[in-house]
C-alpha cells in the first residue's frame, strides 16, 4: 500500500473526495493508488496539495 491511500483513509475521504479536491479523475487515482501507473510530477503536486503533505512522500510503501 502506498502512503497516499493511508493518508486519504486517515482523513476519512473516499477516492471520489480526493479526486474532487485535487482535480485528478477517479480512474487515474485508482491506477495511481494501485501502482498500475507511475505518478507524473504534476499529479503528485496536486495530490500533495489536496492532502496537505509533501508530494514526495505520497508513493512510499507503507504497511496496511
Amino acid at each position: 500500500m502506498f502512503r497516499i491511500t493511508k493518508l486519504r483513509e486517515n482523513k476519512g475521504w473516499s477516492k471520489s473526495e480526493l479526486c474532487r479536491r485535487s482535480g485528478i479523475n477517479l480512474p487515474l487515482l485508482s491506477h495511481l493508488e494501485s501502482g498500475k501507473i507511475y505518478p507524473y510530477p504534476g499529479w503528485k503536486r496536486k495530490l500533495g496539495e489536496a492532502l496537505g503533505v509533501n508530494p514526495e512522500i505520497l508513493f512510499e510503501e507503507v504497511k496496511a
Side-chain angles (χ1 to χ4, degrees):
M1 169 187 293
F2 290 120
R3 188 174 307 275
I4 185 173
T5 305
K6 196 78 153 169
L7 290 166
R8 178 180 59 75
E9 291 173 348
N10 287 346
K11 288 185 176 282
W13 294 355
S14 64
K15 286 182 183 178
S16 295
E17 179 64 15
L18 180 53
C19 289
R20 185 184 70 76
R21 290 173 181 255
S22 67
I24 301 288
N25 68 51
L26 185 57
L28 175 59
L29 179 61
S30 293
H31 283 17
L32 288 167
E33 283 195 1
S34 68
K36 290 182 180 175
I37 60 174
Y38 187 79
Y40 175 75
W43 300 334
K44 289 195 312 188
R45 181 185 48 78
K46 289 180 179 183
L47 292 164
E49 287 174 0
L51 290 164
V53 299
N54 180 337
E56 296 306 313
I57 70 164
L58 293 174
F59 294 94
E60 294 173 352
E61 291 204 31
V62 296
K63 292 185 179 182

